[in-house]
Amino acid sequence: MTTENTAVVGVRSAEEAFTALDELDARCRPFTDYEQGLLEAYRWAVGARTAAPVTAAATAGPLGPCRAQLLAECQAAAVALRTEAGRTGAARVADAERMLGLYTGLAWLCGHHDDRP
């Protein structure tokens, strides 16, 4: 349960978000395209990146994106995933895997599912 003094990232506590980022970042490299997407989502959500990973929009909050921007970016990732389905070739697969990682990470932060990717 969060209180007014607890920092949140979407619907997750800041501690949960930073733990997800730290544990993923500690994995052996090279990262898969999916893991790259997750890293981009988490880094942006905790304020380590200023531009949104899908839309490149500037971060709205002083320490990271606000919940509305997280939700909008999650929706943009879902749209991009559908768009990628029409492309062919190896680049499409890499882009689709990265976008799936972005979407999954953002969806978890927004509370669309409970299991952390």
Side-chain angles (χ1 to χ4, degrees):
M1 183 172 169
T2 60
T3 64
E4 290 180 28
N5 295 327
T6 302
V8 294
V9 178
V11 300
R12 307 290 171 201
S13 70
E15 182 180 345
E16 283 180 286
F18 278 104
T19 297
L21 175 57
D22 291 343
E23 288 178 3
L24 182 59
D25 199 33
R27 289 186 187 169
C28 291
R29 282 144 177 90
F31 293 116
T32 65
D33 293 317
Y34 176 80
E35 290 169 330
Q36 279 293 98
L38 283 174
L39 282 169
E40 289 178 43
Y42 295 157
R43 287 176 179 152
W44 176 68
V46 300
R49 290 179 51 149
T50 56
V54 180
T55 64
T59 302
L63 302 175
C66 65
R67 185 156 187 255
Q69 194 171 15
L70 280 167
L71 287 166
E73 199 68 7
C74 184
Q75 289 176 331
V79 169
L81 272 172
R82 287 192 296 274
T83 304
E84 291 297 321
R87 293 180 51 207
T88 60
R92 183 207 64 85
V93 172
D95 289 345
E97 285 296 313
R98 179 182 153 272
M99 199 57 60
L100 181 60
L102 281 164
Y103 172 77
T104 305
L106 293 168
W108 174 72
L109 290 166
C110 291
H112 296 316
H113 53 83
D114 292 329
D115 295 329
R116 186 179 86 196

